[in-house]
Amino acid sequence: MGDPGLGPQDPGLYGILRPSEAEGLAVQLLQGSLRRGENGARSGGSEAGGVSDSVGIDLVPSPPLVVRGDFHHQPFDDGTFDFEFSNVFDHALYPEKFVGEIERTLRAGGVCVIHVAVSTRSDKYSANDLMSVEPLKKLFKRSELVYVRTVDGFGLDTEVLFRKKRVTRAP
């Protein structure tokens, strides 16, 4: 079975989140994502985008929006975030820990968007490269794949969206 894709008429992320989910949205931008790659600005991009309660982590902090941290061991409590984004999966030395931390800090029903390079080699800082999204899908053990689509962003060509499964208790 192939990856579900979105056509050009599909709304993408903005059609996935209901208004109730978007209200009070806490966005965690993982290492490097506020910088928009290696040459972008770190200034108030999140607030300008309408998300005032966001935080990023990086080995080099840039207060107030970016705190010191390692995406292999996030400095946040379990179930802290409704939404997480990363464009640095290829930089993860330990992909299992990277994804495990996303799933740990994402609340049940929360959404994670990851931008990766699949059809091209990643940048010179890459610790791992994907030739398909299959290995990434296998790492997300507590989430379901919502969609995969092609994007064009800073050398990354694929957007993958996961939603963390809700835990159901037996009656």
Side-chain angles (χ1 to χ4, degrees):
M1 182 173 157
D3 292 326
L6 290 180
Q9 74 283 1
D10 292 308
L13 174 61
Y14 303 103
I16 299 296
L17 295 175
R18 294 184 298 273
S20 61
E21 292 176 307
E23 186 176 325
L25 188 66
V27 177
Q28 176 191 3
L29 300 172
L30 297 175
Q31 180 180 5
S33 54
L34 280 180
R35 288 183 291 159
R36 297 287 186 202
E38 295 303 314
N39 56 6
R42 290 182 182 228
S43 62
S46 299
E47 288 187 30
V51 183
S52 61
D53 57 344
S54 64
V55 63
I57 62 173
D58 200 321
L59 296 174
V60 179
S62 182
L65 296 176
V66 181
V67 299
R68 181 175 173 73
D70 176 2
F71 53 48
H72 295 99
H73 185 73
Q74 294 183 27
F76 307 109
D77 293 333
D78 296 358
T80 298
F81 300 106
D82 298 308
F83 177 81
E84 298 196 36
F85 171 81
S86 176
N87 62 0
V88 292
F89 173 78
D90 60 308
H91 295 202
L93 296 175
Y94 306 101
E96 296 85 3
K97 286 183 178 182
F98 177 90
V99 171
E101 283 296 279
I102 290 173
E103 289 190 313
R104 181 185 68 77
T105 58
L106 195 63
R107 72 162 175 83
V111 173
C112 171
V113 174
I114 298 184
H115 286 185
V116 294
V118 172
S119 63
T120 61
R121 180 145 169 98
S122 297
D123 64 29
K124 66 182 180 181
Y125 302 105
S126 179
N128 59 76
D129 286 311
L130 295 172
M131 298 298 133
S132 79
V133 298
E134 292 303 316
L136 185 61
K137 287 169 41 178
K138 289 178 182 175
L139 292 172
F140 278 85
K141 299 182 184 332
R142 295 185 286 165
S143 301
E144 60 189 354
L145 178 67
V146 176
Y147 73 70
V148 176
R149 71 175 178 169
T150 301
V151 295
D152 181 15
F154 304 103
L156 304 175
D157 57 28
T158 304
E159 179 175 87
V160 187
L161 188 141
F162 294 93
R163 182 181 300 274
K164 186 172 176 183
K165 296 175 186 171
R166 297 183 189 276
V167 178
T168 56
R169 301 186 192 274

